[in-house]
Amino acid sequence: MSKLIPSAAKLFSGTSVITKAAAPAAVTSNAKYSTKSESTFEIKPFKLHKLDKGPAQSATLTAEDALKMYEKLAALRRIETASGNLYKEKIIRGFCHLYSGQEAVAVGMRAAMRDVDTVITAYRCHGWTHLMGVSLVGVLAELTGRRTGCSRGKGGSMHLYGKNFYGGNGIVGAQVPLGAGLAFAHKYRGDGGVSFALYGDGAANQGQLFEAYNMAKLWDLPCVFVCENNGYGMGTSVDRSSASSDYYTRGDYIPGIWVDGMDVIATREATRFAIDYCSSGKGPLVMEMETYRYSGHSMSDPGTSYRTRDEVQEVRQTRDPITSFKEKIVSAELVSPDQLKEIDTKVRKEVDEATKQAKSEPEVGVEELTGDIYYNNLEPYIRGIHPDAPLQHVNVVPRN
Amino acid sequence: MALKSSPVLYGLLARISRRSFSTSKALASKPVTVRDALNQAIDEEMERDDRVFVLGEEVAQYDGAYKVTRGLWKKYGDKRVIDTPITEIGFAGIAVGAAFAGLRPICEFMTFNFSMQAIDHIINSAAKTFYMSAGTVPVPIVFRGPNGAAAGVAAQHSQCFGAWYSHCPGLKVLMPYSSEDAKGLLKAAIREQDPVVFLEDEIMYGIPFPMSDEAQSPDFVLPIGKAKIERPGNHITVVCAGKATDTALQAANELAGKGIECEVINLRSLRPLDFNTIAQSIAKTHHLITVEQGWPQSGEHCY
């Protein structure tokens, strides 16, 4: 157990500001390798709804875990920085919603997930797609609308897919019943898997969520409803949109957990608990991950009319999921600053290379406008704008 | 939701007794109602493939609001015949999610009027996902239930969704007329890898049609996208689908008495549309009338 944990009084104070661990004197900045193989960290208390017992309040991290998680956090941040730049260069067109600030939610959850589990999320999905196994080029080339994109450039920013990853959905809230459907399939097949249906605090007020909650509970579906509360649904703050902003309690009859979504250790621990809970036949669970989005809602939103620049700066300085994790694992002597620097360099290089490739790849040919509309196309032709100029359906992806 | 009844049914039954059918073999065969033909189709496909399940309002313990799923809950149990609460967008979304994961849901709408509560999942979730995922996520689902006007149920319960759904790429839209259509097309729909909207007619559920031995077989499947010439004729082509086929056949009978021979084409499938069969018929007759149950604006006159 690390001695670098802040005092319990600070940790349990219930404020939303994460207490930074003090830098230990023992760690020198030029230490090449870490000296400890594992360390235990306290977690800001979870809040529980209709649960007698929640996730563990402390968690052990191996040096290997820490490095892996740091690399993922760094990659997700870098993907979004690259995406923002590509958008400004007008190479990414259409929509583009950045995840910067929220990385600890996805990275912690993914670290706890098993191969059998499935995920569906909303349109802030670039990072999730990468975590679910799609390469950096697969993600970035999709954003630039190129052939090597994971949806061949036909989905764009909001419609990325991967193994056990069902999008990327552009209709606020629609992914939640779909996620309950994935959970239905897990139960139907008896494969032991759990479905994670993620949505924002904005979508949390959609009626279809409550329909999905109801059936998920009636049928004991292994579904974790994950509310990523980043404080704003577009420009409407949680206090202006939600009669109750305790999203973890809004499943009413479904137990819920509030999680510090800026702490990757907390999100991992909560997800471990959720998997254990849901895969043991107890039915669904709601998890509220309290987090923050640095960028505006989308690229057309500077994100400053409904909140102050100071507010964003304050979060960046005191609660940033990457900086705070870095401080924790360095202070605990689990990793050295040099190791993290190496990771930063590696990630930057990889994302830069992928970005370059995503710019230079060709787009799909115009014939794919009518590609893969149907798995089993039975239309003799696809109608175009002129009756005498019909288009041909193309089977781009091999059929079984 | 009251089950509607009788004057219309008696009228139809009376007309059917003097109708001629295009399948000569069928005349000698056993009459089966459209309802029972649909039931057979679901039953046989559930036997054949354990990924197939039915969900919707009152499909299980109530035996189906219109009894299409009668007996299936007793046979297959809670796992595969699932009563939902009255919550269309929720259960349609769950059904589509299950299809993403490779199951083959039959999502019943008590009537298609209520599908409008769930239309986002039919269009945005079901129809578009295969395309947007560049062919990585197929959505093998059937949305089915009674569509179109019933008898005396006012405007909210009297509308045809043929034009609505067949407008949307990615969907296949079927509209059976007879028992043979109902069984053969529903089985084909359940076996499809693409989302299918299957528009039935409440007024036709109780109508018996002779069904050949071939059509009674569990192997009987009709091709999607092929129209059927219900009655050949040389003077005018009448294109119709679903219950409108009944209207067209009645008209053809009347006109035959006046020396006008109609060629009645039962589309069976609104999307894909069998334009070849229509074109070949028009080449012969040079005249076309379309008969449909929907509102005229943006309807079949837009071929």
Side-chain angles (χ1 to χ4, degrees):
Chain A
M1 167 107 184
S2 163
K3 291 173 184 166
L4 306 163
I5 303 302
S7 74
K10 273 186 182 171
L11 268 168
F12 288 74
S13 63
T15 64
S16 59
V17 178
I18 291 178
T19 313
K20 287 187 206 171
V27 176
T28 57
S29 61
N30 60 359
K32 183 70 182 167
Y33 300 106
S34 63
T35 51
K36 291 187 182 172
S37 61
E38 61 176 50
S39 189
T40 302
F41 298 88
E42 295 291 321
I43 295 167
K44 189 169 175 182
F46 299 100
K47 297 179 203 166
L48 304 180
H49 170 68
K50 298 203 169 160
L51 280 173
D52 296 329
K53 194 174 159 287
Q57 283 300 155
S58 67
T60 300
L61 222 57
T62 64
E64 194 190 346
D65 290 342
L67 288 171
K68 270 189 194 160
M69 286 162 88
Y70 181 81
E71 182 170 343
K72 297 293 181 195
L73 289 166
L76 262 56
R77 179 68 56 90
R78 200 73 208 155
I79 288 171
E80 298 302 51
T81 307
S83 303
N85 291 336
L86 285 166
Y87 188 89
K88 285 171 198 150
E89 291 171 48
K90 298 192 192 303
I91 295 169
I92 293 178
R93 297 173 299 124
F95 297 108
C96 188
H97 308 87
L98 304 183
Y99 198 60
S100 302
Q102 302 183 211
E103 295 92 343
V105 177
V107 173
M109 285 181 64
R110 185 67 185 91
M113 281 170 52
R114 307 154 305 166
D115 288 345
V116 70
D117 301 321
T118 48
V119 177
I120 190 166
T121 184
Y123 43 78
R124 218 173 287 286
C125 62
H126 313 159
W128 261 114
T129 310
H130 179 54
L131 291 174
M132 293 302 284
V134 174
S135 69
L136 292 168
V137 175
V139 174
L140 289 166
E142 186 57 36
L143 302 185
T144 57
R146 308 305 165 101
R147 193 173 59 193
T148 39
C150 62
S151 304
R152 298 183 68 79
K154 289 164 64 172
S157 164
M158 304 199 290
H159 305 290
L160 301 111
Y161 303 84
K163 185 172 181 289
N164 285 1
F165 180 62
Y166 294 91
N169 195 307
I171 307 297
V172 175
Q175 76 278 13
V176 177
L178 295 170
L182 296 171
F184 178 96
H186 283 305
K187 183 165 182 183
Y188 192 93
R189 291 208 170 96
D191 62 15
V194 169
S195 161
F196 293 92
L198 291 106
Y199 54 97
D201 48 282
N205 297 314
Q206 283 279 22
Q208 60 182 311
L209 262 81
F210 298 91
E211 299 193 14
Y213 286 167
N214 184 44
M215 282 176 279
K217 183 66 183 171
L218 272 175
W219 304 338
D220 280 338
L221 301 182
C223 190
V224 187
F225 297 101
V226 183
C227 178
E228 286 188 86
N229 173 8
N230 64 18
Y232 299 90
M234 285 191 72
T236 307
S237 69
V238 294
D239 294 333
R240 294 197 300 128
S241 70
S242 302
S244 161
S245 56
D246 288 331
Y247 296 104
Y248 69 106
T249 66
R250 289 184 62 179
D252 184 9
Y253 38 79
I254 301 179
I257 310 171
W258 177 93
V259 184
D260 177 3
M262 301 301 259
D263 177 3
V264 70
I265 305 173
T267 59
R268 186 187 74 166
E269 218 47 44
T271 305
R272 281 181 172 165
F273 175 87
I275 289 172
D276 189 45
Y277 182 93
C278 292
S279 60
S280 63
K282 290 178 185 158
L285 195 67
V286 174
M287 284 205 299
E288 175 187 352
M289 303 278 198
E290 191 168 330
T291 180
Y292 198 79
R293 125 166 93 69
Y294 294 152
S295 310
H297 162 73
S298 66
M299 298 307 292
S300 59
D301 168 28
T304 49
S305 62
Y306 49 87
R307 60 182 185 180
T308 62
R309 287 178 198 278
D310 289 348
E311 179 186 301
V312 183
Q313 271 313 105
E314 163 82 12
V315 180
R316 276 190 188 274
Q317 283 164 11
T318 60
R319 296 167 58 202
D320 183 78
I322 301 177
T323 314
S324 58
F325 183 62
K326 188 176 178 175
E327 284 173 1
K328 269 187 202 169
I329 55 180
V330 170
S331 304
E333 298 175 42
L334 208 48
V335 302
S336 74
D338 283 354
Q339 282 177 295
L340 299 186
K341 261 185 209 155
E342 274 171 25
I343 289 175
D344 286 339
T345 311
K346 175 172 169 260
V347 164
R348 178 183 290 248
K349 187 165 168 275
E350 284 171 357
V351 174
D352 284 352
E353 277 166 13
T355 306
K356 207 170 149 195
Q357 200 181 334
K359 287 182 187 178
S360 60
E361 292 286 341
E363 294 179 355
V364 293
V366 73
E367 70 282 357
E368 285 198 37
L369 175 68
T370 48
D372 297 328
I373 299 172
Y374 293 100
Y375 184 98
N376 174 29
N377 177 57
L378 298 170
E379 311 236 358
Y381 59 86
I382 304 294
R383 285 174 68 155
I385 54 170
H386 194 282
D388 295 332
L391 305 169
Q392 290 301 314
H393 186 278
V394 189
N395 284 359
V396 182
V397 170
R399 307 299 196 254
N400 294 329
Chain B
M1 176 63 45
L3 293 174
K4 331 304 172 324
S5 59
S6 31
V8 181
L9 291 187
Y10 291 135
L12 274 167
L13 283 168
R15 285 200 299 278
I16 278 165
S17 65
R18 54 173 192 270
R19 182 180 298 152
S20 62
F21 291 89
S22 59
T23 316
S24 55
K25 201 178 163 192
L27 279 171
S29 304
K30 185 182 152 195
V32 176
T33 63
V34 170
R35 172 182 290 113
D36 289 345
L38 292 166
N39 183 277
Q40 263 183 34
I42 300 171
D43 188 6
E44 288 171 9
E45 293 307 300
M46 289 183 74
E47 283 267 9
R48 180 174 173 270
D49 184 346
D50 61 12
R51 295 170 301 174
V52 178
F53 67 96
V54 187
L55 86 172
E57 292 151 6
E58 309 297 354
V59 297
Q61 299 196 19
Y62 194 91
D63 261 347
Y66 294 97
K67 308 300 170 199
V68 170
T69 53
R70 179 158 45 206
L72 297 178
W73 175 63
K74 282 210 172 110
K75 184 168 176 186
Y76 296 101
D78 290 332
K79 182 181 174 187
R80 298 182 66 196
V81 185
I82 302 150
D83 278 330
T84 67
I86 303 167
T87 174
E88 281 82 9
I89 190 166
F91 74 69
I94 286 176
V96 175
F100 282 4
L103 300 183
R104 308 184 80 87
I106 301 171
C107 176
E108 176 174 311
F109 292 116
M110 190 183 288
T111 79
F112 259 93
N113 303 291
F114 315 138
S115 77
M116 267 198 287
Q117 298 247 26
I119 197 165
D120 180 61
H121 283 301
I122 301 172
I123 306 291
N124 275 320
S125 303
K128 296 182 185 173
T129 295
F130 187 65
Y131 184 83
M132 288 196 304
S133 68
T136 54
V137 185
V139 191
I141 186 171
V142 178
F143 300 101
R144 54 152 291 273
N147 165 69
V153 292
Q156 288 182 335
H157 285 70
S158 300
Q159 58 202 320
C160 173
F161 286 85
W164 291 65
Y165 290 119
S166 59
H167 182 58
C168 177
L171 292 179
K172 291 173 176 165
V173 182
L174 307 182
M175 195 184 262
Y177 158 60
S178 64
S179 300
E180 184 181 295
D181 288 1
K183 180 175 172 187
L185 293 174
L186 185 53
K187 285 167 67 77
I190 296 167
R191 294 182 190 187
E192 260 301 327
Q193 276 289 77
D194 293 304
V196 179
V197 171
F198 195 86
L199 302 169
E200 301 157 10
D201 280 284
E202 183 204 323
I203 289 172
M204 300 301 292
Y205 279 154
I207 310 292
F209 287 84
M211 266 176 97
S212 62
D213 289 346
E214 184 200 353
Q216 301 263 13
S217 145
D219 298 324
F220 177 68
V221 180
L222 284 172
I224 290 176
K226 298 285 176 218
K228 178 186 177 191
I229 298 174
E230 292 281 349
R231 175 185 177 125
N234 289 320
H235 298 138
I236 185 163
T237 301
V238 183
V239 174
C240 47
K243 185 179 160 292
T245 309
D246 176 67
T247 312
L249 287 169
Q250 284 176 53
N253 265 343
E254 266 188 44
L255 289 169
K258 297 174 183 172
I260 300 167
E261 290 301 328
C262 300
E263 181 143 293
V264 177
I265 298 178
N266 166 15
L267 286 174
R268 284 181 164 168
S269 168
L270 302 184
R271 185 169 192 146
L273 183 70
D274 185 358
F275 189 73
N276 276 347
T277 299
I278 300 168
Q280 278 165 21
S281 178
I282 297 171
K284 179 173 68 174
T285 64
H286 304 292
H287 293 83
L288 171 68
I289 291 179
T290 63
V291 188
E292 66 168 313
Q293 301 174 84
W295 302 309
Q297 178 77 39
S298 311
E300 285 177 358
H301 70 272
C302 287
Y303 285 153

